[in-house]
Amino acid sequence: MDDLNSKIRSLKEQGVEYVFGFYVDINGAPKSKCVPVESLASMLGGSELYTVGALEGMGELGPHEDECAGYPDLDRMIVLPWDRRFALIPSSLRLDGKRYNQDSRNLLLNVTEEAAELGFVANVGIEPEFYVVRDTEGGWEPLVASDRINPPTCGYDIEATMLAEPFLGPMVKYMNELGWGVYSFDHEGGDGQYEFNFRYADALTMADRMTVFRLMAKHVARQNGCIATFMPKPFQDDFGSASHINISIASAKDGENLFASGGGYSELAMHFVAGVLEHARAISAVVCPTVNSYKRFTSKGFMDEISWAPIFQAWGENNRTLMCRMPVNRHCLEVRTADSAVNYYLGIAIVLAAGLDGIKRKLTAPEPVNVDTYKLAPTDLVDRGCVPLPRTLDEALDAFQESDFARDVFGEEFHSTFLKHKRQEGHEFRTVVTEWEIQKYLQRI
């Protein structure tokens, strides 16, 4: 108790007034009651109760049933660098004293503990892409109106990056204050699209960080009169926003990267990628979780440039047209299908679980595909074993529904909840009459 009182005094000295013990809904949006810092002790003891049945995709706990209690992990507290009155602590929800089985973070906890039992630590790096745009009379415009001065794309453009400093500068400052180790950032290919690259961390830490990252981006964007959008494909004639999951397995004993072997990839790494590919279609439903996600998976579409997006269920060494890339300059698996809408707890969990399944079953990875599949004829694609990724959310959900693996990872109840929530989203989309349809058919027939 003396240590906790000392912690509270320290927080007050830093200016902290309020604490959130957060969890996330099925979309990855953080939720929490706000507690004065003086009440931190009771919060840590599970004083804050939640009727999660009222939230999106967290089960159907009715008004006649008990509430979930939040148990914050104090060692993972983050004081928000842009407003030090607030601190956030990732929490585990419990029901009747047990981990609540429809809490996304609990699911990742379960999978990381399975990895630990095998002697592994999963390390994860994320490459988040997203747009910063402002609402104008003419529609959504990029953060910097002059983004369009250097067509066809502002990717890596120095002038566009410098002009976006009012947004990029505070982001880098806050991320480094939190010790995340930003080592590069850039203007991506889309008008008003940005990406940050920073140090990897263990799977749970990275998922926690990405939840805070989204809050941070939204705050800094608002300070610039804009919004940060994590919609995967907000503009049909511009690039989609990925959020690649870079994952590797390390030894729990000494931290050695077990994917590396003699300058190449180890047998364990190849078992891991084989597991991910075996469950690729079910994984897609989780890492590409919206109907909009599947607008990314095209080589070109309405754009003048190629999309650089994955379209096939295969792996290659430096092949960006595929779901899985095994880079030659670092030893990890890059899951390129994951997009900016992913719930990081669920996305990392299912990728890690699939890889562990490949390791346990000693699955054999197919041959790599190291050619530009955008240019291959259909017969060549078949010969190389290139299976198309799901083209729609419904197609991915069909695979998720049929997958015993996905059911085992999520548990029967959460698996059912995820399906029900996402099926409804697909149903709503199918009932919407789009502007494209009106223009195409209203007077044509």
Side-chain angles (χ1 to χ4, degrees):
M1 192 63 182
D2 289 341
D3 288 344
L4 183 55
N5 288 333
S6 176
K7 179 71 172 180
I8 293 172
R9 285 195 299 272
S10 174
L11 290 171
K12 287 183 174 181
E13 289 170 0
Q14 296 177 61
V16 174
E17 299 177 24
Y18 307 104
V19 181
F20 293 100
F22 75 88
Y23 53 95
V24 301
D25 66 11
I26 201 168
N27 299 313
K31 307 291 181 179
S32 177
K33 293 182 180 179
C34 189
V35 171
V37 69
E38 293 83 0
S39 299
L40 178 60
S42 60
M43 183 188 224
L44 295 174
S47 64
E48 303 315 304
L49 305 178
Y50 299 95
T51 54
V52 296
L55 302 179
E56 286 198 271
M58 296 198 68
E60 298 184 359
L61 288 177
H64 63 295
E65 297 179 89
D66 203 358
E67 298 169 296
C68 286
Y71 286 86
D73 185 346
L74 184 59
D75 292 337
R76 294 175 177 270
M77 174 182 284
I78 296 173
V79 177
L80 299 185
W82 64 89
D83 192 338
R84 295 188 177 277
R85 294 175 300 162
F86 298 103
L88 271 62
I89 313 178
S91 301
S92 172
L93 292 181
R94 298 181 196 172
L95 181 65
D96 299 327
K98 299 177 182 179
R99 284 182 185 169
Y100 182 51
N101 61 9
Q102 301 194 57
D103 173 357
S104 299
R105 193 170 187 273
N106 282 346
L107 191 150
L108 180 54
L109 276 168
N110 294 339
V111 179
T112 55
E113 287 173 358
E114 178 187 354
E117 290 172 2
L118 296 171
F120 301 145
V121 171
N123 288 322
V124 174
I126 301 292
E127 303 171 67
E129 298 174 344
F130 57 99
Y131 281 83
V132 180
V133 293
R134 67 178 76 249
D135 193 6
T136 71
E137 291 183 1
W140 292 105
E141 293 290 335
L143 166 68
V144 179
S146 54
D147 262 8
R148 299 192 173 98
I149 60 175
N150 292 326
T153 172
C154 275
Y156 306 135
D157 190 85
I158 292 177
E159 184 177 11
T161 303
M162 292 175 67
L163 289 171
E165 195 280 335
F167 173 78
L168 297 174
M171 287 290 294
V172 174
K173 176 177 179 287
Y174 297 148
M175 292 167 74
N176 282 335
E177 283 183 21
L178 292 172
W180 295 1
V182 177
Y183 56 84
S184 71
F185 57 96
D186 63 89
H187 192 298
E188 278 294 304
D191 291 329
Q193 186 186 38
Y194 307 101
E195 177 181 294
F196 294 85
N197 296 289
F198 50 103
R199 281 199 305 263
Y200 66 82
D202 69 89
L204 194 62
T205 297
M206 183 54 70
D208 292 339
R209 286 180 178 178
M210 290 309 301
T211 304
V212 175
F213 177 88
R214 282 179 176 159
L215 280 176
M216 182 190 302
K218 290 177 180 180
H219 166 78
V220 179
R222 281 193 298 270
Q223 296 297 103
N224 284 272
C226 298
I227 68 162
T229 177
F230 295 89
M231 183 179 178
K233 181 74 170 175
F235 308 109
Q236 66 183 21
D237 57 351
D238 220 331
F239 293 92
S241 291
S243 197
H244 302 150
I245 297 173
N246 295 268
I247 187 166
S248 62
I249 294 295
S251 166
K253 291 183 179 179
D254 57 17
E256 178 188 0
N257 185 351
L258 299 178
F259 273 19
S261 177
Y265 280 93
S266 66
E267 186 177 13
L268 181 140
M270 301 318 298
H271 291 324
F272 190 98
V273 70
V276 171
L277 288 174
E278 172 143 319
H279 302 298
R281 300 182 75 76
I283 289 172
S284 291
V286 182
V287 301
C288 313
T290 72
V291 293
N292 178 257
S293 298
Y294 296 83
K295 304 294 177 70
R296 283 181 58 228
F297 297 152
T298 178
S299 60
K300 196 166 185 181
F302 278 87
M303 295 170 53
D304 293 330
E305 305 295 310
I306 63 171
S307 68
W308 296 83
I311 55 176
F312 292 107
Q313 179 181 319
W315 77 277
E317 291 170 350
N318 268 331
N319 197 340
R320 293 164 177 83
T321 70
L322 309 177
M323 175 186 185
C324 292
R325 175 182 174 226
M326 306 286 276
V328 296
N329 62 336
R330 62 187 191 278
H331 293 102
C332 67
L333 165 62
E334 180 181 280
V335 180
R336 294 182 55 78
T337 43
D339 67 39
S340 55
V342 66
N343 175 330
Y344 288 99
Y345 296 105
L346 298 183
I348 293 171
I350 198 166
V351 168
L352 174 56
L356 294 178
D357 184 52
I359 291 172
K360 289 183 291 186
R361 294 167 55 201
K362 298 187 183 301
L363 296 180
T364 301
E367 291 298 311
V369 178
N370 292 324
V371 296
D372 184 353
T373 60
Y374 292 166
K375 298 179 179 179
L376 290 184
T379 53
D380 293 331
L381 291 168
V382 171
D383 291 343
R384 294 176 183 274
C386 290
V387 178
L389 290 162
R391 302 295 175 85
T392 65
L393 178 61
D394 285 322
E395 190 179 333
L397 289 174
D398 288 343
F400 184 84
Q401 181 171 347
E402 295 166 5
S403 171
D404 291 334
F405 159 77
R407 189 173 288 103
D408 288 342
V409 173
F410 272 65
E412 193 70 43
E413 291 184 4
F414 201 5
H415 185 264
S416 176
T417 296
F418 185 89
L419 274 171
K420 180 179 179 181
H421 183 80
K422 291 300 176 180
R423 289 288 192 196
Q424 178 61 30
E425 188 173 322
H427 171 72
E428 290 177 9
F429 177 71
R430 287 191 299 275
T431 65
V432 172
V433 177
T434 65
E435 185 62 30
W436 181 90
E437 292 170 282
I438 293 172
Q439 292 180 359
K440 190 81 171 178
Y441 304 122
L442 190 67
Q443 300 183 70
R444 176 181 178 181
I445 300 170

